[in-house]
Amino acid sequence: MSNVAGEIYFIAEEPSLTAPQVRVKIGLVRENKKNRDSKDRLMDHQTGNPRNLVLVDAIRTARVSHVENSLHQRYASRRGIGEWFQLSKAELESAIAECSDLAAQQSAHLPVIQQADALTHSTRNDVVVAASEEAIEWHRSLKIAKASESIFVQLKSKYKERVEMAHEAGFDVNGFAAVTRSRQRLDSWFLEHHKDAYQNCKRPSKSARFKDKGPDVKPALEPDHIELAEEFSAKIAESSPQTGFEEVHRLYLETRRPSAIWKEEKNLATAHLKVLCGFNRGIENLCEWKTVVSQKFSVEIAEDKYPHLVQAHATIEVFGAPSTRLRDGEETGD
């Protein structure tokens, strides 16, 4: 989870502010972008845009990438090109209010998340501590979040399979997916073509592996989310390339929101359990957090020892199998 702070900005086309629908850019500026703020982004977006743009609002927040992604998930069905959204005036006001709420939440969560991240790089002792009431409650929250998120993850996976099947059968899936070929990773390329060099590029790496224990629990979806999941599942089963994917893709976009919410709940519960675990190996009957030392491929060593091989990988295109990436609007830039 990225903890970098920054600003979320809302930039609108000024003529559209008097119209029923407003074209709004929801973007971010990270605080590690020196001498950059939302006003700079306004000037950037104004270049080449024939309509006058106005900075409606800018809200500072911790974990700015997460907040931006949450808003993009929320208004995915209103998305146009890039990070521009067609919103009503009420939706724009709601988006700004929601952004403020998310910013307040992240401020409250950040200390725990930062502490958990710091503990990840520490060495665990061999002590298993007794479970406190707080730890038991966070463990329950973690289990519920994992079960709830899993419902939407499985449905999205089934939909992606449908789109891939349509593509492989020769149907046009443009508008729903972008067909790409993923380039082979440097470590995989070394292992496949230069095994001896691959072994020489390994170095010890210490990481902490967290695993929760206990039986799974039932999900805790809201009634409207249950209805959405059931409708999405039915539409996936009914969908075919001949009839198109418009309706099922719309439902796919809607399921991203509850899926993201449960993912964040899962991450937050995990962070709290890690902090409660501290430097210990685990919490009795709830979780185990081991420090593992393994040999991992190092790009830095490869660049130092075998610059000619790294350069060969950079200039020789090595493609893997075709893959389909859904056009679901993930944005990581400014």
Side-chain angles (χ1 to χ4, degrees):
M1 295 183 288
S2 174
N3 297 329
V4 175
E7 285 184 341
I8 299 293
Y9 60 79
F10 298 82
I11 293 175
E13 291 183 344
E14 193 171 35
S16 67
L17 289 175
T18 59
Q21 294 289 318
V22 185
R23 283 193 63 198
V24 182
K25 174 75 162 62
I26 304 176
L28 65 80
V29 179
R30 298 179 180 88
E31 70 173 7
N32 55 5
K33 297 287 186 181
K34 294 183 179 179
N35 301 319
R36 300 280 291 169
D37 60 19
S38 296
K39 292 181 180 178
D40 293 312
R41 297 301 291 143
L42 173 64
M43 295 176 63
D44 293 340
H45 292 305
Q46 185 65 76
T47 302
N49 194 317
R51 296 187 178 183
N52 189 45
L53 300 180
V54 58
L55 179 61
V56 180
D57 209 336
I59 297 171
R60 183 165 180 77
T61 178
R63 305 181 68 215
V64 67
S65 294
H66 168 73
V67 173
E68 182 201 42
N69 188 49
S70 296
L71 292 170
H72 288 181
Q73 303 272 13
R74 171 70 174 84
Y75 296 99
S77 61
R78 302 287 193 274
R79 192 169 191 145
I81 297 174
E83 296 178 342
W84 288 89
F85 297 80
Q86 286 283 107
L87 304 177
S88 68
K89 294 176 184 178
E91 286 173 332
L92 175 55
E93 292 175 358
S94 178
I96 293 172
E98 183 172 355
C99 184
S100 295
D101 290 342
L102 287 169
Q105 291 173 18
Q106 297 316 310
S107 295
H109 297 335
L110 186 60
V112 173
I113 293 170
Q114 289 177 325
Q115 191 175 350
D117 286 349
L119 286 167
T120 299
H121 306 291
S122 303
T123 301
R124 318 253 78 74
N125 59 39
D126 205 36
V127 176
V128 177
V129 298
S132 65
E133 289 297 325
E134 183 180 4
I136 292 172
E137 188 58 33
W138 280 115
H139 180 261
R140 180 176 176 275
S141 297
L142 171 60
K143 286 293 190 179
I144 291 174
K146 289 177 69 173
S148 301
E149 180 198 24
S150 177
I151 292 175
F152 295 104
V153 170
Q154 292 175 20
L155 286 172
K156 289 191 292 184
S157 178
K158 288 181 180 179
Y159 173 51
K160 183 179 178 182
E161 289 175 3
R162 285 278 181 165
V163 177
E164 289 176 337
M165 289 171 59
H167 167 67
E168 291 170 2
F171 291 94
D172 183 9
V173 296
N174 286 334
F176 309 107
V179 180
T180 64
R181 288 179 180 270
S182 299
R183 201 151 162 235
Q184 195 172 13
R185 284 174 34 164
L186 182 63
D187 56 348
S188 300
W189 186 81
F190 262 72
L191 180 60
E192 180 178 345
H193 299 284
H194 306 280
K195 291 184 179 179
D196 290 341
Y198 173 82
Q199 296 299 329
N200 292 335
C201 291
K202 286 186 174 182
R203 68 179 176 190
S205 175
K206 184 172 66 175
S207 60
R209 296 180 183 175
F210 180 86
K211 182 179 181 181
D212 63 275
K213 297 181 179 180
D216 293 334
V217 300
K218 293 182 179 180
L221 302 185
E222 298 290 335
D224 58 334
H225 288 170
I226 295 175
E227 183 178 346
L228 174 61
E230 291 175 346
E231 184 180 6
F232 188 35
S233 179
K235 292 295 183 181
I236 292 173
E238 296 171 2
S239 64
S240 68
Q242 292 86 350
T243 57
F245 293 100
E246 288 85 357
E247 179 64 15
V248 71
H249 190 69
R250 180 187 67 79
L251 292 169
Y252 161 76
L253 293 177
E254 290 188 16
T255 60
R256 291 186 54 191
R257 175 62 173 172
S259 178
I261 291 173
W262 286 114
K263 181 178 180 179
E264 178 65 6
E265 289 292 321
K266 178 185 70 177
N267 291 338
L268 182 61
T270 300
H272 276 275
L273 282 174
K274 286 180 176 180
V275 170
L276 291 170
C277 191
F279 296 100
N280 299 305
R281 182 169 63 86
I283 302 176
E284 188 176 1
N285 299 323
L286 300 186
C287 62
E288 187 174 55
W289 201 12
K290 290 183 177 180
T291 299
V292 179
V293 178
S294 59
Q295 296 287 324
K296 289 190 177 181
F297 180 87
S298 168
V299 174
E300 291 79 9
I301 294 177
E303 290 174 339
D304 181 54
K305 286 189 174 182
Y306 305 102
H308 61 294
L309 294 182
V310 175
Q311 181 62 29
H313 176 263
T315 57
I316 300 174
E317 292 291 326
V318 182
F319 292 110
S323 63
T324 301
R325 177 175 58 81
L326 292 177
R327 278 185 184 153
D328 53 19
E330 289 285 355
E331 300 284 343
T332 58
D334 287 352

